[in-house]
Amino acid sequence: MADPTTGDLIKAKTIASDEVNAAVDVFVQIATVSTAWAQQNLKIMEKAHVRRMQTF
């Protein structure tokens, strides 16, 4: 295998950066969805708790 040229190294760095950026984007989307889901479920649980306390 031939030694990589400067252009090859720059291209490899760009591809790696794009992959890292894509992975970060996916992670942020998952975290955002998970946070929204958790907040929604917390509201539902709070309402259920209030209703339960009102029956006593």
Side-chain angles (χ1 to χ4, degrees):
M1 184 172 165
D3 291 336
T5 64
T6 303
D8 293 333
L9 294 174
I10 291 171
K11 182 178 177 183
K13 182 179 178 188
T14 302
I15 291 170
S17 295
D18 289 345
E19 290 173 354
V20 169
N21 289 337
V24 169
D25 289 344
V26 169
F27 177 80
V28 169
Q29 287 174 348
I30 290 170
T32 301
V33 169
S34 295
T35 301
W37 179 84
Q39 289 173 341
Q40 180 179 2
N41 281 332
L42 180 59
K43 288 178 184 178
I44 291 168
M45 291 169 54
E46 287 172 344
K47 287 178 183 177
H49 177 70
V50 168
R51 277 191 234 123
R52 201 170 334 147
M53 295 306 288
Q54 289 173 344
T55 60
F56 289 110

